[in-house]
mmCIF file with all atom_site columns, all heavy atoms in Angstrom:
data_model
loop_
_atom_site.group_PDB
_atom_site.id
_atom_site.type_symbol
_atom_site.label_atom_id
_atom_site.label_alt_id
_atom_site.label_comp_id
_atom_site.label_asym_id
_atom_site.label_entity_id
_atom_site.label_seq_id
_atom_site.pdbx_PDB_ins_code
_atom_site.Cartn_x
_atom_site.Cartn_y
_atom_site.Cartn_z
_atom_site.occupancy
_atom_site.B_iso_or_equiv
_atom_site.pdbx_formal_charge
_atom_site.auth_seq_id
_atom_site.auth_comp_id
_atom_site.auth_asym_id
_atom_site.auth_atom_id
_atom_site.pdbx_PDB_model_num
ATOM   1   N N   . ARG A 1 103 ? -8.851  22.780 -15.000 1.00 98.00 ? 1044 ARG A N   1
ATOM   2   C CA  . ARG A 1 103 ? -9.202  24.069 -14.394 1.00 98.00 ? 1044 ARG A CA  1
ATOM   3   C C   . ARG A 1 103 ? -8.131  24.464 -13.373 1.00 98.00 ? 1044 ARG A C   1
ATOM   4   O O   . ARG A 1 103 ? -7.706  25.624 -13.323 1.00 98.00 ? 1044 ARG A O   1
ATOM   5   C CB  . ARG A 1 103 ? -10.555 23.891 -13.724 1.00 98.00 ? 1044 ARG A CB  1
ATOM   6   C CG  . ARG A 1 103 ? -11.105 25.060 -12.984 1.00 98.00 ? 1044 ARG A CG  1
ATOM   7   C CD  . ARG A 1 103 ? -12.550 24.705 -12.715 1.00 98.00 ? 1044 ARG A CD  1
ATOM   8   N NE  . ARG A 1 103 ? -13.219 25.518 -11.746 1.00 98.00 ? 1044 ARG A NE  1
ATOM   9   C CZ  . ARG A 1 103 ? -14.514 25.363 -11.448 1.00 98.00 ? 1044 ARG A CZ  1
ATOM   10  N NH1 . ARG A 1 103 ? -15.230 24.440 -12.051 1.00 98.00 ? 1044 ARG A NH1 1
ATOM   11  N NH2 . ARG A 1 103 ? -15.090 26.124 -10.572 1.00 98.00 ? 1044 ARG A NH2 1
ATOM   12  N N   . PRO A 1 147 ? -12.282 21.590 0.923   1.00 98.00 ? 1088 PRO A N   1
ATOM   13  C CA  . PRO A 1 147 ? -13.293 20.528 1.027   1.00 98.00 ? 1088 PRO A CA  1
ATOM   14  C C   . PRO A 1 147 ? -13.007 19.361 0.075   1.00 98.00 ? 1088 PRO A C   1
ATOM   15  O O   . PRO A 1 147 ? -12.127 19.449 -0.782  1.00 98.00 ? 1088 PRO A O   1
ATOM   16  C CB  . PRO A 1 147 ? -14.558 21.248 0.587   1.00 98.00 ? 1088 PRO A CB  1
ATOM   17  C CG  . PRO A 1 147 ? -14.088 22.206 -0.453  1.00 98.00 ? 1088 PRO A CG  1
ATOM   18  C CD  . PRO A 1 147 ? -12.696 22.633 -0.042  1.00 98.00 ? 1088 PRO A CD  1
ATOM   19  N N   . ASN A 1 149 ? -15.141 18.148 -2.238  1.00 98.00 ? 1090 ASN A N   1
ATOM   20  C CA  . ASN A 1 149 ? -15.915 18.058 -3.483  1.00 98.00 ? 1090 ASN A CA  1
ATOM   21  C C   . ASN A 1 149 ? -15.197 18.602 -4.712  1.00 98.00 ? 1090 ASN A C   1
ATOM   22  O O   . ASN A 1 149 ? -15.561 18.245 -5.826  1.00 98.00 ? 1090 ASN A O   1
ATOM   23  C CB  . ASN A 1 149 ? -17.289 18.726 -3.304  1.00 98.00 ? 1090 ASN A CB  1
ATOM   24  C CG  . ASN A 1 149 ? -17.188 20.201 -3.069  1.00 98.00 ? 1090 ASN A CG  1
ATOM   25  O OD1 . ASN A 1 149 ? -16.210 20.696 -2.518  1.00 98.00 ? 1090 ASN A OD1 1
ATOM   26  N ND2 . ASN A 1 149 ? -18.193 20.938 -3.476  1.00 98.00 ? 1090 ASN A ND2 1
ATOM   27  N N   . PHE A 1 150 ? -14.205 19.482 -4.516  1.00 98.00 ? 1091 PHE A N   1
ATOM   28  C CA  . PHE A 1 150 ? -13.333 19.894 -5.629  1.00 98.00 ? 1091 PHE A CA  1
ATOM   29  C C   . PHE A 1 150 ? -11.904 19.721 -5.128  1.00 98.00 ? 1091 PHE A C   1
ATOM   30  O O   . PHE A 1 150 ? -11.243 20.690 -4.750  1.00 98.00 ? 1091 PHE A O   1
ATOM   31  C CB  . PHE A 1 150 ? -13.598 21.347 -6.038  1.00 98.00 ? 1091 PHE A CB  1
ATOM   32  C CG  . PHE A 1 150 ? -14.844 21.526 -6.865  1.00 98.00 ? 1091 PHE A CG  1
ATOM   33  C CD1 . PHE A 1 150 ? -16.082 21.698 -6.257  1.00 98.00 ? 1091 PHE A CD1 1
ATOM   34  C CD2 . PHE A 1 150 ? -14.787 21.499 -8.256  1.00 98.00 ? 1091 PHE A CD2 1
ATOM   35  C CE1 . PHE A 1 150 ? -17.235 21.841 -7.012  1.00 98.00 ? 1091 PHE A CE1 1
ATOM   36  C CE2 . PHE A 1 150 ? -15.938 21.647 -9.021  1.00 98.00 ? 1091 PHE A CE2 1
ATOM   37  C CZ  . PHE A 1 150 ? -17.159 21.813 -8.394  1.00 98.00 ? 1091 PHE A CZ  1
ATOM   38  N N   . ILE A 1 154 ? -10.196 23.596 -5.853  1.00 98.00 ? 1095 ILE A N   1
ATOM   39  C CA  . ILE A 1 154 ? -10.284 24.555 -4.738  1.00 98.00 ? 1095 ILE A CA  1
ATOM   40  C C   . ILE A 1 154 ? -8.911  24.760 -4.077  1.00 98.00 ? 1095 ILE A C   1
ATOM   41  O O   . ILE A 1 154 ? -8.510  25.913 -3.868  1.00 98.00 ? 1095 ILE A O   1
ATOM   42  C CB  . ILE A 1 154 ? -11.409 24.177 -3.751  1.00 98.00 ? 1095 ILE A CB  1
ATOM   43  C CG1 . ILE A 1 154 ? -12.764 24.345 -4.464  1.00 98.00 ? 1095 ILE A CG1 1
ATOM   44  C CG2 . ILE A 1 154 ? -11.358 25.055 -2.496  1.00 98.00 ? 1095 ILE A CG2 1
ATOM   45  C CD1 . ILE A 1 154 ? -13.996 24.053 -3.617  1.00 98.00 ? 1095 ILE A CD1 1
ATOM   46  N N   . TRP A 1 157 ? -7.227  27.150 -6.359  1.00 97.00 ? 1098 TRP A N   1
ATOM   47  C CA  . TRP A 1 157 ? -7.646  28.557 -6.394  1.00 97.00 ? 1098 TRP A CA  1
ATOM   48  C C   . TRP A 1 157 ? -7.382  29.277 -5.076  1.00 97.00 ? 1098 TRP A C   1
ATOM   49  O O   . TRP A 1 157 ? -7.608  30.465 -4.951  1.00 97.00 ? 1098 TRP A O   1
ATOM   50  C CB  . TRP A 1 157 ? -9.016  28.756 -6.984  1.00 97.00 ? 1098 TRP A CB  1
ATOM   51  C CG  . TRP A 1 157 ? -10.273 28.612 -6.193  1.00 97.00 ? 1098 TRP A CG  1
ATOM   52  C CD1 . TRP A 1 157 ? -10.574 29.119 -4.965  1.00 97.00 ? 1098 TRP A CD1 1
ATOM   53  C CD2 . TRP A 1 157 ? -11.451 27.948 -6.669  1.00 97.00 ? 1098 TRP A CD2 1
ATOM   54  N NE1 . TRP A 1 157 ? -11.869 28.800 -4.650  1.00 97.00 ? 1098 TRP A NE1 1
ATOM   55  C CE2 . TRP A 1 157 ? -12.426 28.100 -5.667  1.00 97.00 ? 1098 TRP A CE2 1
ATOM   56  C CE3 . TRP A 1 157 ? -11.771 27.276 -7.858  1.00 97.00 ? 1098 TRP A CE3 1
ATOM   57  C CZ2 . TRP A 1 157 ? -13.715 27.558 -5.807  1.00 97.00 ? 1098 TRP A CZ2 1
ATOM   58  C CZ3 . TRP A 1 157 ? -13.045 26.760 -7.986  1.00 97.00 ? 1098 TRP A CZ3 1
ATOM   59  C CH2 . TRP A 1 157 ? -13.999 26.890 -6.965  1.00 97.00 ? 1098 TRP A CH2 1
ATOM   60  N N   . THR A 1 224 ? -13.160 26.631 2.703   1.00 98.00 ? 1165 THR A N   1
ATOM   61  C CA  . THR A 1 224 ? -14.387 26.276 1.974   1.00 98.00 ? 1165 THR A CA  1
ATOM   62  C C   . THR A 1 224 ? -14.961 25.043 2.643   1.00 98.00 ? 1165 THR A C   1
ATOM   63  O O   . THR A 1 224 ? -14.238 24.048 2.835   1.00 98.00 ? 1165 THR A O   1
ATOM   64  C CB  . THR A 1 224 ? -14.098 26.006 0.486   1.00 98.00 ? 1165 THR A CB  1
ATOM   65  O OG1 . THR A 1 224 ? -13.536 27.180 -0.099  1.00 98.00 ? 1165 THR A OG1 1
ATOM   66  C CG2 . THR A 1 224 ? -15.378 25.635 -0.259  1.00 98.00 ? 1165 THR A CG2 1
ATOM   67  N N   . GLY A 1 225 ? -16.233 25.093 3.011   1.00 98.00 ? 1166 GLY A N   1
ATOM   68  C CA  . GLY A 1 225 ? -16.856 23.963 3.692   1.00 98.00 ? 1166 GLY A CA  1
ATOM   69  C C   . GLY A 1 225 ? -18.221 24.362 4.225   1.00 98.00 ? 1166 GLY A C   1
ATOM   70  O O   . GLY A 1 225 ? -18.882 25.241 3.660   1.00 98.00 ? 1166 GLY A O   1
ATOM   71  N N   . GLU A 1 247 ? -16.024 30.313 2.243   1.00 98.00 ? 1188 GLU A N   1
ATOM   72  C CA  . GLU A 1 247 ? -16.987 29.935 1.200   1.00 98.00 ? 1188 GLU A CA  1
ATOM   73  C C   . GLU A 1 247 ? -17.770 28.757 1.746   1.00 98.00 ? 1188 GLU A C   1
ATOM   74  O O   . GLU A 1 247 ? -17.193 27.707 2.045   1.00 98.00 ? 1188 GLU A O   1
ATOM   75  C CB  . GLU A 1 247 ? -16.259 29.530 -0.087  1.00 98.00 ? 1188 GLU A CB  1
ATOM   76  C CG  . GLU A 1 247 ? -15.653 30.699 -0.826  1.00 98.00 ? 1188 GLU A CG  1
ATOM   77  C CD  . GLU A 1 247 ? -16.665 31.732 -1.258  1.00 98.00 ? 1188 GLU A CD  1
ATOM   78  O OE1 . GLU A 1 247 ? -17.857 31.412 -1.385  1.00 98.00 ? 1188 GLU A OE1 1
ATOM   79  O OE2 . GLU A 1 247 ? -16.248 32.888 -1.446  1.00 98.00 ? 1188 GLU A OE2 1
ATOM   80  N N   . MET A 1 248 ? -19.074 28.909 1.874   1.00 97.00 ? 1189 MET A N   1
ATOM   81  C CA  . MET A 1 248 ? -19.864 27.880 2.574   1.00 97.00 ? 1189 MET A CA  1
ATOM   82  C C   . MET A 1 248 ? -20.990 27.357 1.684   1.00 97.00 ? 1189 MET A C   1
ATOM   83  O O   . MET A 1 248 ? -20.793 27.157 0.513   1.00 97.00 ? 1189 MET A O   1
ATOM   84  C CB  . MET A 1 248 ? -20.315 28.449 3.895   1.00 97.00 ? 1189 MET A CB  1
ATOM   85  C CG  . MET A 1 248 ? -19.093 28.886 4.735   1.00 97.00 ? 1189 MET A CG  1
ATOM   86  S SD  . MET A 1 248 ? -19.482 29.927 6.127   1.00 97.00 ? 1189 MET A SD  1
ATOM   87  C CE  . MET A 1 248 ? -19.802 31.490 5.323   1.00 97.00 ? 1189 MET A CE  1
ATOM   88  N N   . GLN A 1 279 ? -23.008 17.405 -5.588  1.00 98.00 ? 1220 GLN A N   1
ATOM   89  C CA  . GLN A 1 279 ? -22.099 17.743 -4.483  1.00 98.00 ? 1220 GLN A CA  1
ATOM   90  C C   . GLN A 1 279 ? -21.319 19.023 -4.802  1.00 98.00 ? 1220 GLN A C   1
ATOM   91  O O   . GLN A 1 279 ? -20.092 19.038 -4.839  1.00 98.00 ? 1220 GLN A O   1
ATOM   92  C CB  . GLN A 1 279 ? -21.169 16.552 -4.213  1.00 98.00 ? 1220 GLN A CB  1
ATOM   93  C CG  . GLN A 1 279 ? -21.986 15.317 -3.798  1.00 98.00 ? 1220 GLN A CG  1
ATOM   94  C CD  . GLN A 1 279 ? -21.177 14.056 -3.566  1.00 98.00 ? 1220 GLN A CD  1
ATOM   95  O OE1 . GLN A 1 279 ? -21.468 13.284 -2.676  1.00 98.00 ? 1220 GLN A OE1 1
ATOM   96  N NE2 . GLN A 1 279 ? -20.151 13.823 -4.352  1.00 98.00 ? 1220 GLN A NE2 1
ATOM   97  N N   . ARG A 1 280 ? -22.062 20.080 -5.085  1.00 98.00 ? 1221 ARG A N   1
ATOM   98  C CA  . ARG A 1 280 ? -21.450 21.375 -5.374  1.00 98.00 ? 1221 ARG A CA  1
ATOM   99  C C   . ARG A 1 280 ? -22.212 22.420 -4.599  1.00 98.00 ? 1221 ARG A C   1
ATOM   100 O O   . ARG A 1 280 ? -23.454 22.383 -4.575  1.00 98.00 ? 1221 ARG A O   1
ATOM   101 C CB  . ARG A 1 280 ? -21.557 21.700 -6.881  1.00 98.00 ? 1221 ARG A CB  1
ATOM   102 C CG  . ARG A 1 280 ? -20.736 20.768 -7.730  1.00 98.00 ? 1221 ARG A CG  1
ATOM   103 C CD  . ARG A 1 280 ? -20.763 21.175 -9.189  1.00 98.00 ? 1221 ARG A CD  1
ATOM   104 N NE  . ARG A 1 280 ? -21.995 20.819 -9.859  1.00 98.00 ? 1221 ARG A NE  1
ATOM   105 C CZ  . ARG A 1 280 ? -22.174 20.880 -11.186 1.00 98.00 ? 1221 ARG A CZ  1
ATOM   106 N NH1 . ARG A 1 280 ? -21.213 21.303 -11.961 1.00 98.00 ? 1221 ARG A NH1 1
ATOM   107 N NH2 . ARG A 1 280 ? -23.317 20.529 -11.728 1.00 98.00 ? 1221 ARG A NH2 1
ATOM   108 N N   . CYS A 1 281 ? -21.489 23.364 -3.989  1.00 98.00 ? 1222 CYS A N   1
ATOM   109 C CA  . CYS A 1 281 ? -22.209 24.399 -3.253  1.00 98.00 ? 1222 CYS A CA  1
ATOM   110 C C   . CYS A 1 281 ? -22.960 25.301 -4.210  1.00 98.00 ? 1222 CYS A C   1
ATOM   111 O O   . CYS A 1 281 ? -23.831 26.056 -3.808  1.00 98.00 ? 1222 CYS A O   1
ATOM   112 C CB  . CYS A 1 281 ? -21.280 25.182 -2.354  1.00 98.00 ? 1222 CYS A CB  1
ATOM   113 S SG  . CYS A 1 281 ? -19.942 25.924 -3.235  1.00 98.00 ? 1222 CYS A SG  1
ATOM   114 N N   . THR A 1 282 ? -22.655 25.197 -5.511  1.00 98.00 ? 1223 THR A N   1
ATOM   115 C CA  . THR A 1 282 ? -23.351 25.977 -6.524  1.00 98.00 ? 1223 THR A CA  1
ATOM   116 C C   . THR A 1 282 ? -24.509 25.199 -7.171  1.00 98.00 ? 1223 THR A C   1
ATOM   117 O O   . THR A 1 282 ? -25.127 25.684 -8.120  1.00 98.00 ? 1223 THR A O   1
ATOM   118 C CB  . THR A 1 282 ? -22.343 26.365 -7.636  1.00 98.00 ? 1223 THR A CB  1
ATOM   119 O OG1 . THR A 1 282 ? -21.589 25.195 -7.962  1.00 98.00 ? 1223 THR A OG1 1
ATOM   120 C CG2 . THR A 1 282 ? -21.409 27.469 -7.204  1.00 98.00 ? 1223 THR A CG2 1
ATOM   121 N N   . ALA A 1 283 ? -24.783 23.985 -6.683  1.00 98.00 ? 1224 ALA A N   1
ATOM   122 C CA  . ALA A 1 283 ? -25.832 23.150 -7.294  1.00 98.00 ? 1224 ALA A CA  1
ATOM   123 C C   . ALA A 1 283 ? -27.195 23.848 -7.230  1.00 98.00 ? 1224 ALA A C   1
ATOM   124 O O   . ALA A 1 283 ? -27.477 24.622 -6.320  1.00 98.00 ? 1224 ALA A O   1
ATOM   125 C CB  . ALA A 1 283 ? -25.908 21.811 -6.568  1.00 98.00 ? 1224 ALA A CB  1
ATOM   126 N N   . PHE A 1 381 ? -26.752 18.677 -0.307  1.00 98.00 ? 1322 PHE A N   1
ATOM   127 C CA  . PHE A 1 381 ? -25.441 18.330 -0.868  1.00 98.00 ? 1322 PHE A CA  1
ATOM   128 C C   . PHE A 1 381 ? -25.437 16.936 -1.496  1.00 98.00 ? 1322 PHE A C   1
ATOM   129 O O   . PHE A 1 381 ? -24.470 16.180 -1.378  1.00 98.00 ? 1322 PHE A O   1
ATOM   130 C CB  . PHE A 1 381 ? -24.337 18.450 0.203   1.00 98.00 ? 1322 PHE A CB  1
ATOM   131 C CG  . PHE A 1 381 ? -23.076 19.072 -0.346  1.00 98.00 ? 1322 PHE A CG  1
ATOM   132 C CD1 . PHE A 1 381 ? -23.089 20.382 -0.795  1.00 98.00 ? 1322 PHE A CD1 1
ATOM   133 C CD2 . PHE A 1 381 ? -21.892 18.355 -0.440  1.00 98.00 ? 1322 PHE A CD2 1
ATOM   134 C CE1 . PHE A 1 381 ? -21.948 20.977 -1.322  1.00 98.00 ? 1322 PHE A CE1 1
ATOM   135 C CE2 . PHE A 1 381 ? -20.740 18.937 -0.970  1.00 98.00 ? 1322 PHE A CE2 1
ATOM   136 C CZ  . PHE A 1 381 ? -20.773 20.251 -1.410  1.00 98.00 ? 1322 PHE A CZ  1
ATOM   137 N N   . LEU A 1 407 ? -25.500 32.114 -2.748  1.00 98.00 ? 1348 LEU A N   1
ATOM   138 C CA  . LEU A 1 407 ? -24.307 31.895 -3.571  1.00 98.00 ? 1348 LEU A CA  1
ATOM   139 C C   . LEU A 1 407 ? -24.600 32.170 -5.053  1.00 98.00 ? 1348 LEU A C   1
ATOM   140 O O   . LEU A 1 407 ? -24.124 33.144 -5.604  1.00 98.00 ? 1348 LEU A O   1
ATOM   141 C CB  . LEU A 1 407 ? -23.777 30.470 -3.364  1.00 98.00 ? 1348 LEU A CB  1
ATOM   142 C CG  . LEU A 1 407 ? -22.387 30.209 -3.961  1.00 98.00 ? 1348 LEU A CG  1
ATOM   143 C CD1 . LEU A 1 407 ? -21.355 31.177 -3.408  1.00 98.00 ? 1348 LEU A CD1 1
ATOM   144 C CD2 . LEU A 1 407 ? -21.950 28.773 -3.707  1.00 98.00 ? 1348 LEU A CD2 1
ATOM   145 N N   . THR A 1 437 ? -26.671 26.779 -12.592 1.00 98.00 ? 1378 THR A N   1
ATOM   146 C CA  . THR A 1 437 ? -26.163 27.605 -11.483 1.00 98.00 ? 1378 THR A CA  1
ATOM   147 C C   . THR A 1 437 ? -24.734 27.227 -11.119 1.00 98.00 ? 1378 THR A C   1
ATOM   148 O O   . THR A 1 437 ? -24.024 28.014 -10.500 1.00 98.00 ? 1378 THR A O   1
ATOM   149 C CB  . THR A 1 437 ? -27.035 27.450 -10.215 1.00 98.00 ? 1378 THR A CB  1
ATOM   150 O OG1 . THR A 1 437 ? -27.094 26.055 -9.869  1.00 98.00 ? 1378 THR A OG1 1
ATOM   151 C CG2 . THR A 1 437 ? -28.431 28.005 -10.410 1.00 98.00 ? 1378 THR A CG2 1
ATOM   152 N N   . ALA A 1 438 ? -24.317 26.003 -11.462 1.00 98.00 ? 1379 ALA A N   1
ATOM   153 C CA  . ALA A 1 438 ? -22.961 25.540 -11.140 1.00 98.00 ? 1379 ALA A CA  1
ATOM   154 C C   . ALA A 1 438 ? -22.105 25.568 -12.390 1.00 98.00 ? 1379 ALA A C   1
ATOM   155 O O   . ALA A 1 438 ? -22.623 25.561 -13.510 1.00 98.00 ? 1379 ALA A O   1
ATOM   156 C CB  . ALA A 1 438 ? -23.027 24.118 -10.587 1.00 98.00 ? 1379 ALA A CB  1
ATOM   157 N N   . GLY A 1 439 ? -20.780 25.577 -12.163 1.00 96.00 ? 1380 GLY A N   1
ATOM   158 C CA  . GLY A 1 439 ? -19.853 25.544 -13.295 1.00 96.00 ? 1380 GLY A CA  1
ATOM   159 C C   . GLY A 1 439 ? -19.468 26.956 -13.663 1.00 96.00 ? 1380 GLY A C   1
ATOM   160 O O   . GLY A 1 439 ? -20.075 27.578 -14.530 1.00 96.00 ? 1380 GLY A O   1
ATOM   161 N N   . VAL A 1 440 ? -18.452 27.461 -12.958 1.00 97.00 ? 1381 VAL A N   1
ATOM   162 C CA  . VAL A 1 440 ? -18.089 28.867 -13.133 1.00 97.00 ? 1381 VAL A CA  1
ATOM   163 C C   . VAL A 1 440 ? -16.732 28.966 -13.829 1.00 97.00 ? 1381 VAL A C   1
ATOM   164 O O   . VAL A 1 440 ? -15.975 27.998 -13.869 1.00 97.00 ? 1381 VAL A O   1
ATOM   165 C CB  . VAL A 1 440 ? -18.051 29.587 -11.766 1.00 97.00 ? 1381 VAL A CB  1
ATOM   166 C CG1 . VAL A 1 440 ? -19.410 29.565 -11.109 1.00 97.00 ? 1381 VAL A CG1 1
ATOM   167 C CG2 . VAL A 1 440 ? -16.997 28.977 -10.847 1.00 97.00 ? 1381 VAL A CG2 1
ATOM   168 N N   . ASP A 1 441 ? -16.441 30.147 -14.358 1.00 97.00 ? 1382 ASP A N   1
ATOM   169 C CA  . ASP A 1 441 ? -15.128 30.381 -14.965 1.00 97.00 ? 1382 ASP A CA  1
ATOM   170 C C   . ASP A 1 441 ? -14.075 30.558 -13.868 1.00 97.00 ? 1382 ASP A C   1
ATOM   171 O O   . ASP A 1 441 ? -14.408 30.914 -12.739 1.00 97.00 ? 1382 ASP A O   1
ATOM   172 C CB  . ASP A 1 441 ? -15.170 31.640 -15.843 1.00 97.00 ? 1382 ASP A CB  1
ATOM   173 C CG  . ASP A 1 441 ? -15.852 31.358 -17.189 1.00 97.00 ? 1382 ASP A CG  1
ATOM   174 O OD1 . ASP A 1 441 ? -16.464 30.279 -17.335 1.00 97.00 ? 1382 ASP A OD1 1
ATOM   175 O OD2 . ASP A 1 441 ? -15.757 32.225 -18.074 1.00 97.00 ? 1382 ASP A OD2 1
ATOM   176 N N   . PHE A 1 446 ? -15.440 34.853 -7.547  1.00 98.00 ? 1387 PHE A N   1
ATOM   177 C CA  . PHE A 1 446 ? -16.329 33.784 -7.091  1.00 98.00 ? 1387 PHE A CA  1
ATOM   178 C C   . PHE A 1 446 ? -16.695 34.066 -5.641  1.00 98.00 ? 1387 PHE A C   1
ATOM   179 O O   . PHE A 1 446 ? -15.817 34.298 -4.807  1.00 98.00 ? 1387 PHE A O   1
ATOM   180 C CB  . PHE A 1 446 ? -15.603 32.432 -7.178  1.00 98.00 ? 1387 PHE A CB  1
ATOM   181 C CG  . PHE A 1 446 ? -16.441 31.274 -6.683  1.00 98.00 ? 1387 PHE A CG  1
ATOM   182 C CD1 . PHE A 1 446 ? -17.194 30.514 -7.564  1.00 98.00 ? 1387 PHE A CD1 1
ATOM   183 C CD2 . PHE A 1 446 ? -16.496 30.959 -5.332  1.00 98.00 ? 1387 PHE A CD2 1
ATOM   184 C CE1 . PHE A 1 446 ? -17.989 29.466 -7.114  1.00 98.00 ? 1387 PHE A CE1 1
ATOM   185 C CE2 . PHE A 1 446 ? -17.284 29.919 -4.872  1.00 98.00 ? 1387 PHE A CE2 1
ATOM   186 C CZ  . PHE A 1 446 ? -18.038 29.165 -5.758  1.00 98.00 ? 1387 PHE A CZ  1
ATOM   187 N N   . GLU A 1 458 ? -13.087 35.189 -3.877  1.00 98.00 ? 1399 GLU A N   1
ATOM   188 C CA  . GLU A 1 458 ? -12.003 34.360 -4.384  1.00 98.00 ? 1399 GLU A CA  1
ATOM   189 C C   . GLU A 1 458 ? -11.874 34.575 -5.892  1.00 98.00 ? 1399 GLU A C   1
ATOM   190 O O   . GLU A 1 458 ? -12.789 35.061 -6.533  1.00 98.00 ? 1399 GLU A O   1
ATOM   191 C CB  . GLU A 1 458 ? -12.324 32.879 -4.150  1.00 98.00 ? 1399 GLU A CB  1
ATOM   192 C CG  . GLU A 1 458 ? -12.568 32.546 -2.699  1.00 98.00 ? 1399 GLU A CG  1
ATOM   193 C CD  . GLU A 1 458 ? -12.357 31.066 -2.408  1.00 98.00 ? 1399 GLU A CD  1
ATOM   194 O OE1 . GLU A 1 458 ? -11.200 30.670 -2.158  1.00 98.00 ? 1399 GLU A OE1 1
ATOM   195 O OE2 . GLU A 1 458 ? -13.335 30.316 -2.440  1.00 98.00 ? 1399 GLU A OE2 1
ATOM   196 N N   . GLN A 1 459 ? -10.770 34.126 -6.416  1.00 97.00 ? 1400 GLN A N   1
ATOM   197 C CA  . GLN A 1 459 ? -10.492 33.990 -7.856  1.00 97.00 ? 1400 GLN A CA  1
ATOM   198 C C   . GLN A 1 459 ? -10.340 35.310 -8.615  1.00 97.00 ? 1400 GLN A C   1
ATOM   199 O O   . GLN A 1 459 ? -10.845 36.351 -8.220  1.00 97.00 ? 1400 GLN A O   1
ATOM   200 C CB  . GLN A 1 459 ? -11.580 33.146 -8.537  1.00 97.00 ? 1400 GLN A CB  1
ATOM   201 C CG  . GLN A 1 459 ? -11.678 31.769 -7.923  1.00 97.00 ? 1400 GLN A CG  1
ATOM   202 C CD  . GLN A 1 459 ? -12.263 30.763 -8.882  1.00 97.00 ? 1400 GLN A CD  1
ATOM   203 O OE1 . GLN A 1 459 ? -11.602 30.306 -9.791  1.00 97.00 ? 1400 GLN A OE1 1
ATOM   204 N NE2 . GLN A 1 459 ? -13.495 30.410 -8.684  1.00 97.00 ? 1400 GLN A NE2 1
HETATM 205 C C1  . UN1 B 2 .   ? -18.436 25.428 -9.659  1.00 92.80 ? 1226 UN1 B C1  1
HETATM 206 O O1  . UN1 B 2 .   ? -19.651 25.309 -9.571  1.00 92.80 ? 1226 UN1 B O1  1
HETATM 207 O O2  . UN1 B 2 .   ? -17.867 25.473 -10.765 1.00 92.80 ? 1226 UN1 B O2  1
HETATM 208 O O3  . UN1 B 2 .   ? -17.603 23.927 -3.171  1.00 92.80 ? 1226 UN1 B O3  1
HETATM 209 C C2  . UN1 B 2 .   ? -17.541 25.578 -8.505  1.00 92.80 ? 1226 UN1 B C2  1
HETATM 210 C C3  . UN1 B 2 .   ? -18.193 24.277 -4.192  1.00 92.80 ? 1226 UN1 B C3  1
HETATM 211 C C4  . UN1 B 2 .   ? -17.804 25.611 -4.765  1.00 92.80 ? 1226 UN1 B C4  1
HETATM 212 C C5  . UN1 B 2 .   ? -17.204 25.512 -6.099  1.00 92.80 ? 1226 UN1 B C5  1
HETATM 213 C C6  . UN1 B 2 .   ? -18.191 25.385 -7.181  1.00 92.80 ? 1226 UN1 B C6  1
HETATM 214 N N1  . UN1 B 2 .   ? -16.916 26.279 -3.858  1.00 92.80 ? 1226 UN1 B N1  1
HETATM 215 O O4  . UN1 B 2 .   ? -19.014 23.556 -4.716  1.00 92.80 ? 1226 UN1 B O4  1
#
Side-chain angles (χ1 to χ4, degrees):
R1044 178 167 166 177
N1090 65 331
F1091 283 86
I1095 293 182
W1098 84 47
T1165 300
E1188 287 300 337
M1189 302 166 284
Q1220 299 177 143
R1221 293 185 283 191
C1222 57
T1223 46
F1322 221 64
L1348 191 57
T1378 56
V1381 298
D1382 282 11
F1387 178 94
E1399 302 202 85
Q1400 301 204 76

